[in-house]
């Protein structure tokens, strides 16, 4: 570990970081249409971005110091398929390729619903792991209220909670800010301890494959996910302080046709008896990809990094599809044109 990182690890009051970045860290909120809905999106200034980067490094150093066994879930985030290096919606769908029956649900108003006190408890545990590990396992921390209360009495709890409320929260000081630089990472840490670990314990006993793509939870297995089991799974979500968006919840079967997981289709492959499924790049995603590439090439938008993310997802699909269609080849050529054009200006 570098000397600077070791110095960060020794700090227990993250409020000190605000004096290290210079300027006045701020995040301004504005209404923006996202997915057909108007949402309050945060726009952080340079000082706030620097502050979140410093705080994130402090957290990662603490997780690294926990040791290979105790920090494995927080380092690997095994159930998360979003905001994790190397992940994308296509890979998330492929993890469910052997499933015949699906239960897909959605966490309503996810970021603003994060309980910052519980998140502060988790961060205390990470930074004071050497003191608490003999009494509190990471899994137990997520379900045992009395142990959470013990961590609330730690002297560093109030400064950590104050930091989260002052620099990471939404417009009313509640939950995580949508658009906050560190919000996706903090959301994944929170969900790993208070949702994912609990859900995995249920799923392992019922041979269910589970992934969470941000706020979308996907369950699949070879037989139906029955009502009582779905209720137990939803209970893990509600106990973490979230509400389930029942309007977006679905119970699906392959017999009903193509099943879409994070907008990537899974369907039976009739031409290969050994293949359990093939992935489908949906028309909607393809139209969107063509549109943003066309916008960049026509100089109507200048955000190549955003386009590159969608291109990378399609390239991954194209390299793994057995027989590309004419549409696939057309989209692939368009992606190559974008990459050549972007390379001229990098």
């Amino acid at each position: 570990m570098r000397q600077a990182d070791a110095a960060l690890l020794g700090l227990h009051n993250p409020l000190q970081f605000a004096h290290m970045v210079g300027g006045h860290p701020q995040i301004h909120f504005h209404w923006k249409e996202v997915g057909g809905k108007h949402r309050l999106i945060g726009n952080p200034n340079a000082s706030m971005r620097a502050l979140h980067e410093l705080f994130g490094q402090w957290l990662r150093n603490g997780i690294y110091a926990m040791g290979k066994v105790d920090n494995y879930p927080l380092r690997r985030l095994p159930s998360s398929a979003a905001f994790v290096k190397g992940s994308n919606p296509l890979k998330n769908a492929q993890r469910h390729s052997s499933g015949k029956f699906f239960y897909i649900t959605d966490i309503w108003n996810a970021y603003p619903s994060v309980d910052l006190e519980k998140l502060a408890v988790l961060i205390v545990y990470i930074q004071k792991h050497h003191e608490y590990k003999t009494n509190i396992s990471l899994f137990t921390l997520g379900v045992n209220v009395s142990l959470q209360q013990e961590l609330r009495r730690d002297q560093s709890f109030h400064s950590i909670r104050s930091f989260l409320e002052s620099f990471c929260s939404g417009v009313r000081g509640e939950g995580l800010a949508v658009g906050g630089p560190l919000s996706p990472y903090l959301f994944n840490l929170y969900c790993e301890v208070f949702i994912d670990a609990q859900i995995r314990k249920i799923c392992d006993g019922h041979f269910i494959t589970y992934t969470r793509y941000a706020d979308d939870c996907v369950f699949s297995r070879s037989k139906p996910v029955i009502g009582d089991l779905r209720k137990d799974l939803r209970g893990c979500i509600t106990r973490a302080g979230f509400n389930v968006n029942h309007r977006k919840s679905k119970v699906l079967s392959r017999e009903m046709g193509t099943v879409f997981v994070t907008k990537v289709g899974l369907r039976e492959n009739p031409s290969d008896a050994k293949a359990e499924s093939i992935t489908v790049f949906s028309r909607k995603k393809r139209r969107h990809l063509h549109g943003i590439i066309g916008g960049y090439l026509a100089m109507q938008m200048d955000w190549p990094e955003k386009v590159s993310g969608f291109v990378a997802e399609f390239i991954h699909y194209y390299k793994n599809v057995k027989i590309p269609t004419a549409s696939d080849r057309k989209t692939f050529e368009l992606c190559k044109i974008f990459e050549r054009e972007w390379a001229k200006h990098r």
Side-chain angles (χ1 to χ4, degrees), residues 32-135:
K32 183 177 180 181
E33 186 173 338
V34 179
K37 297 181 180 179
H38 283 84
R39 300 178 185 273
L40 273 174
I41 306 295
N43 182 23
N45 63 8
S47 295
M48 182 65 86
R49 291 182 182 278
L51 181 62
H52 276 223
E53 183 177 354
L54 195 62
F55 183 59
Q57 188 58 53
W58 181 67
L59 278 177
R60 292 181 178 92
N61 289 346
I63 292 171
Y64 183 85
M66 290 170 66
K68 291 183 179 180
V69 176
D70 291 335
N71 73 6
Y72 174 82
L74 294 177
R75 288 184 68 185
R76 299 296 183 180
L77 299 168
S79 297
S80 178
F83 316 123
V84 176
K85 186 178 180 180
S87 67
N88 59 47
L90 181 59
K91 290 182 179 179
N92 180 46
Q94 288 174 332
R95 290 169 69 174
H96 295 273
S97 62
S98 62
K100 301 296 182 183
F101 298 89
F102 296 77
Y103 175 47
I104 301 175
T105 191
D106 179 85
I107 300 173
W108 182 81
N109 204 29
Y111 280 18
S113 299
V114 169
D115 187 331
L116 293 185
E117 286 212 358
K118 283 188 175 181
L119 181 57
V121 164
L122 169 58
I123 295 173
V124 170
Y125 175 81
I126 291 171
Q127 297 299 332
K128 298 293 189 73
H129 181 259
H130 61 287
E131 297 180 21
Y132 292 105
K133 66 178 180 179
T134 55
N135 300 318

Side-chain angles (χ1 to χ4, degrees), residues 121-162:
V121 164
L122 169 58
I123 295 173
V124 170
Y125 175 81
I126 291 171
Q127 297 299 332
K128 298 293 189 73
H129 181 259
H130 61 287
E131 297 180 21
Y132 292 105
K133 66 178 180 179
T134 55
N135 300 318
I136 308 174
S137 69
L138 194 59
F139 176 84
T140 305
L141 173 64
V143 295
N144 194 308
V145 176
S146 62
L147 295 180
Q148 294 174 24
Q149 290 293 343
E150 179 183 344
L151 287 168
R152 282 185 172 90
R153 291 191 289 270
D154 189 276
Q155 60 181 357
S156 65
F157 170 77
H158 294 290
S159 61
I160 292 173
R161 185 186 62 182
S162 296

Side-chain angles (χ1 to χ4, degrees), residues 27 97 100 169 173 217 225:
I27 182 167
S97 62
K100 301 296 182 183
S169 66
C217 302
V225 183

Side-chain angles (χ1 to χ4, degrees), residues 97-294:
S97 62
S98 62
K100 301 296 182 183
F101 298 89
F102 296 77
Y103 175 47
I104 301 175
T105 191
D106 179 85
I107 300 173
W108 182 81
N109 204 29
Y111 280 18
S113 299
V114 169
D115 187 331
L116 293 185
E117 286 212 358
K118 283 188 175 181
L119 181 57
V121 164
L122 169 58
I123 295 173
V124 170
Y125 175 81
I126 291 171
Q127 297 299 332
K128 298 293 189 73
H129 181 259
H130 61 287
E131 297 180 21
Y132 292 105
K133 66 178 180 179
T134 55
N135 300 318
I136 308 174
S137 69
L138 194 59
F139 176 84
T140 305
L141 173 64
V143 295
N144 194 308
V145 176
S146 62
L147 295 180
Q148 294 174 24
Q149 290 293 343
E150 179 183 344
L151 287 168
R152 282 185 172 90
R153 291 191 289 270
D154 189 276
Q155 60 181 357
S156 65
F157 170 77
H158 294 290
S159 61
I160 292 173
R161 185 186 62 182
S162 296
F163 180 90
L164 293 173
E165 292 175 347
S166 300
F167 301 110
C168 301
S169 66
V171 287
R172 291 184 291 274
E174 299 176 350
L176 294 172
V178 178
L182 204 60
S183 290
Y185 180 64
L186 293 174
F187 182 74
N188 269 345
L189 292 181
Y190 182 88
C191 287
E192 168 57 35
V193 175
F194 296 105
I195 294 180
D196 297 343
Q198 323 306 323
I199 286 180
R200 283 199 301 271
K201 185 175 183 180
I202 296 175
C203 291
D204 289 346
H206 292 86
F207 306 101
I208 297 174
T209 298
Y210 163 65
T211 62
R212 178 182 51 77
Y213 192 88
D215 55 359
D216 293 324
C217 302
V218 183
F219 308 88
S220 66
R221 67 172 180 172
S222 60
K223 57 183 181 179
V225 183
I226 59 176
D228 288 343
L229 192 50
R230 297 198 302 269
K231 183 178 179 181
D232 291 342
L233 296 171
R234 289 195 300 269
C236 297
I237 297 173
T238 56
R239 283 193 295 273
F242 295 115
N243 292 313
V244 173
N245 190 341
H246 296 286
R247 294 181 62 185
K248 290 188 176 181
S249 298
K250 303 172 184 177
V251 179
L252 303 171
S253 166
R254 284 285 180 81
E255 295 179 354
M256 300 166 62
T258 302
V259 174
F260 283 89
V261 175
T262 50
K263 298 182 180 180
V264 176
L266 293 173
R267 73 181 182 200
E268 300 296 334
N269 186 358
S271 64
D272 188 350
K274 294 182 180 179
E276 294 173 310
S277 68
I278 56 176
T279 53
V280 180
F281 205 82
S282 70
R283 292 181 181 178
K284 183 177 181 180
K285 288 174 72 69
R286 194 185 301 271
R287 285 197 300 267
H288 179 67
L289 177 58
H290 284 209
I292 60 175
I293 291 178

